[in-house]
Amino acid sequence: MISDQSRMPLVEAMEGHMKGNPISFHVPGHKNGLLIKGDRQQEFLRCDLTELSGLDDLHEPAEAIAEAEQLLSDYYKTKKSYFLVNGSTVGNLASIMSSCKQGEIVFVQRNCHKSVLHGIRLAKAVPVFLETEWDAKSQTALGVSLDTVKSALEQFPQAKACVLTYPTYYGLTYPIQAIIKELHKCGILVIIDEAHGPHFGAWKGLPLSTLQMGADLVVHSAHKMLPAMTMGSFLHINNDRVNKDIVKSYVSMLQSSSPSYPIMASLDYARYYIACLSREEIRLNQVLVDKFIHSLESIDTMLKVVRTDDPLKVLVRWEGVSGYDFQRALEMEGVYTELADPYQVLFILPLVKTKVDFPFKEALEKISCAIKNANIDKREIKLFEPLPRINKISSLALSLEEMEVKKEKWIRLEDSIGYISSQMVIPYPPGIPTLIPGERVTEDKVKIMKSYWENGAKIQGNHRLDDGQIAVYDMLEVEG
């Protein structure tokens, strides 16, 4: 049976319910928005429904939600796909906790999202970190190499799972298919945090999704690259290597028992949106992206654009200006980028349809004004050069049990090399921890933290970087 990807079962069910002008004697407490002043808020909140007759139940779907999730699975060609209303965090947690038991070794890409580390900690598994390669063109961390994976397999043949990130937050890819095959040869389950790739494989010219490469569990943030609401994500079970019942139980445990219907409806719409892109619309997007980049490069000779593997993501640098200062100048004109780092800002471009009029022209005018009006003292922006690493495989210096009984203290960042971090330090975005509890502080990490902080990056975690301090365990471990 060929599924009709033009259908939106949950959206249709919700629209049918609202057409009946229902009177609410049920949760939520705003009563279809009637208790909220303002027509706009009322109209939006009419969609904020609950598990009523005909609207199905996310935790035991049998009607509209079941049909919507089946269409999602049909589109991505998976064994089973889930709607997630608590973000890709839930997908990462459920994938890891259903694949790893206490004490089992899991390989994890070092530049992973913090939710991956949280999942490993909740599972009480033992992480073995795989260092990434460095991409000089984008000045960002990439992915792990096949050689690093092979070395890890030799050192830890008992490993049970591997968690990799693909693509990177910046839209970069790496030869991951060979890595997936190598891991499968050794019986290792492959979990991919593909948060930024729900559109991958949709047309020729886009990178393939790891679902098409045979990964076992894949998580997509539909809200990042598709028109879904924030926190709307997908979890895909791609083959029979995965225990579906265990995954289902963790998804149910970790998700809210009162799932958001607006988020679920937006997920139904996001799947429809990407599945029904026409050839004309695909070509339109390619033309719009090329035109926007060309126009950016024409604004100022000091403006440099770096294309990534994902055509919807471009890095823009303003020579002599840090990414943070550049971002602030753009925001003064009402242009908001996804993130800034010491060198550049990241633009995430829209995936448009023929009847969508995105304000590219207005954006270019505002960017031009930002360049002209910004009062910034230009300086040399030194590119980061990572220290060469002989050993790209590492473990935590302390186990979870050891960390629970150790005392911590605060010391100057410059004096912390060789100590073991007791807290996470996370530049956000992109949400990739520079330091995690139990990890040794290195010269590279100190250099990175200083660069982020001095350039005004937002830092999550328990730290005192404004006083030049971080928290470490009250012990000095000499490396080697």
Side-chain angles (χ1 to χ4, degrees):
M1 178 180 176
I2 299 176
S3 61
D4 183 0
Q5 291 293 329
S6 67
R7 291 278 322 281
M8 291 181 281
L10 183 55
V11 172
E12 293 161 10
M14 291 170 63
E15 288 175 343
H17 175 79
M18 289 183 286
K19 282 180 181 176
N21 294 317
I23 300 173
S24 170
F25 290 99
H26 56 76
V27 298
H30 55 68
K31 304 303 177 188
N32 294 339
L34 291 177
L35 305 190
I36 308 297
K37 292 183 179 180
D39 293 341
R40 289 185 179 181
Q41 291 92 329
Q42 284 189 5
E43 185 60 32
F44 174 75
L45 290 173
R46 287 188 69 209
C47 304
D48 188 23
L49 300 165
T50 189
E51 294 91 342
L52 305 174
S53 297
L55 295 184
D56 212 352
D57 180 353
L58 178 65
H59 290 278
E60 204 60 52
E63 300 169 318
I65 295 174
E67 188 178 354
E69 287 189 331
Q70 184 58 55
L71 285 171
L72 176 67
S73 182
D74 291 345
Y75 173 69
Y76 283 105
K77 298 180 173 57
T78 65
K79 291 291 183 180
K80 173 65 180 175
S81 293
Y82 290 97
F83 283 174
L84 303 178
V85 296
N86 294 87
S88 289
T89 290
V90 164
N92 286 334
L93 296 180
S95 296
I96 293 165
M97 295 177 73
S98 63
S99 305
C100 307
K101 297 177 182 177
Q102 183 173 351
E104 291 184 337
I105 290 175
V106 53
F107 296 144
V108 57
Q109 186 170 318
R110 180 58 189 81
N111 63 333
C112 66
H113 189 266
K114 60 181 179 178
S115 61
V116 172
L117 302 173
H118 293 158
I120 293 171
R121 187 163 188 171
L122 287 171
K124 296 185 177 180
V126 179
V128 170
F129 297 104
L130 310 182
E131 288 289 346
T132 58
E133 302 301 304
W134 182 256
D135 182 61
K137 181 181 176 183
S138 67
Q139 282 290 297
T140 63
L142 197 53
V144 301
S145 70
L146 179 58
D147 286 342
T148 298
V149 171
K150 287 181 177 179
S151 296
L153 290 168
E154 290 176 2
Q155 294 181 45
F156 301 94
Q158 72 275 36
K160 296 296 182 181
C162 179
V163 188
L164 299 173
T165 305
Y166 179 93
T168 70
Y169 200 137
Y170 290 78
L172 299 169
T173 64
Y174 56 99
I176 196 172
Q177 187 162 16
I179 293 173
I180 294 171
K181 289 181 179 179
E182 190 69 25
L183 290 165
H184 279 167
K185 277 168 51 179
C186 298
I188 292 178
L189 203 70
V190 180
I191 301 166
I192 306 294
D193 178 358
E194 198 172 281
H196 287 261
H199 57 309
F200 275 19
W203 67 80
K204 188 177 180 181
L206 277 177
L208 292 178
S209 167
T210 52
L211 286 168
Q212 297 164 295
M213 302 180 197
D216 302 303
L217 287 156
V218 176
V219 181
H220 280 150
S221 288
H223 67 93
K224 294 189 186 301
M225 303 303 296
L226 302 181
M229 289 180 66
T230 297
M231 293 174 63
S233 296
F234 304 136
L235 171 60
H236 307 285
I237 298 174
N238 202 30
N239 52 50
D240 293 326
R241 294 164 53 87
V242 178
N243 189 317
K244 297 178 188 176
D245 293 333
I246 295 178
V247 173
K248 180 183 178 181
S249 67
Y250 275 109
V251 169
S252 183
M253 277 189 276
L254 294 165
Q255 294 222 86
S256 170
S257 59
S258 302
S260 163
Y261 270 77
I263 291 176
M264 288 190 288
S266 76
L267 288 172
D268 196 18
Y269 179 76
R271 183 273 315 154
Y272 151 82
Y273 192 93
I274 188 69
C276 294
L277 270 179
S278 66
R279 289 184 179 179
E280 178 188 355
E281 288 167 334
I282 291 168
R283 176 61 184 157
L284 171 66
N285 278 278
Q286 293 168 335
V287 170
L288 287 174
V289 168
D290 288 343
K291 185 177 179 180
F292 182 70
I293 291 174
H294 176 73
S295 298
L296 273 177
E297 292 173 327
S298 301
I299 289 175
D300 192 289
T301 57
M302 306 301 280
L303 215 57
K304 308 297 179 185
V305 178
V306 179
R307 292 182 185 244
T308 72
D309 299 316
D310 181 350
L312 297 182
K313 291 190 175 185
V314 293
L315 303 174
V316 185
R317 298 171 184 163
W318 186 7
E319 193 171 325
V321 178
S322 76
Y324 304 110
D325 287 337
F326 188 15
Q327 185 180 59
R328 283 188 283 270
L330 291 170
E331 290 178 357
M332 289 291 290
E333 298 295 334
V335 176
Y336 293 84
T337 57
E338 174 64 16
L339 63 80
D341 65 26
Y343 321 105
Q344 59 212 346
V345 295
L346 172 63
F347 281 75
I348 297 183
L349 306 182
L351 181 59
V352 300
K353 284 183 174 280
T354 49
K355 295 181 180 180
V356 175
D357 186 19
F358 190 82
F360 283 110
K361 183 178 179 181
E362 181 184 353
L364 289 162
E365 291 172 353
K366 289 178 176 291
I367 294 167
S368 181
C369 287
I371 299 293
K372 292 176 182 177
N373 298 335
N375 185 18
I376 300 172
D377 292 328
K378 293 189 178 182
R379 57 188 172 87
E380 183 183 1
I381 306 296
K382 294 182 179 179
L383 298 182
F384 176 71
E385 295 181 4
L387 298 175
R389 295 181 183 275
I390 298 174
N391 185 10
K392 293 195 173 184
I393 301 164
S394 63
S395 303
L396 293 178
L398 293 176
S399 67
L400 293 176
E401 292 75 17
E402 289 173 319
M403 284 188 272
E404 288 175 356
V405 298
K406 295 289 183 184
K407 294 182 179 180
E408 70 174 11
K409 66 178 181 179
W410 294 91
I411 63 174
R412 293 175 65 245
L413 183 59
E414 289 82 357
D415 299 332
S416 65
I417 297 171
Y419 279 89
I420 297 171
S421 174
S422 62
Q423 298 289 343
M424 276 197 183
V425 179
I426 313 162
Y428 203 96
I432 296 167
T434 301
L435 277 180
I436 61 176
E439 183 177 41
R440 195 181 308 282
V441 183
T442 64
E443 184 180 346
D444 245 10
K445 296 185 187 303
V446 169
K447 187 177 180 182
I448 291 169
M449 283 186 286
K450 287 184 69 176
S451 176
Y452 271 113
W453 187 252
E454 290 171 356
N455 284 287
K458 295 177 182 178
I459 309 289
Q460 293 183 348
N462 189 7
H463 62 82
R464 297 176 183 170
L465 286 176
D466 50 343
D467 294 326
Q469 294 183 323
I470 62 168
V472 298
Y473 288 108
D474 192 9
M475 54 186 288
L476 179 58
E477 296 284 338
V478 180
E479 194 165 4

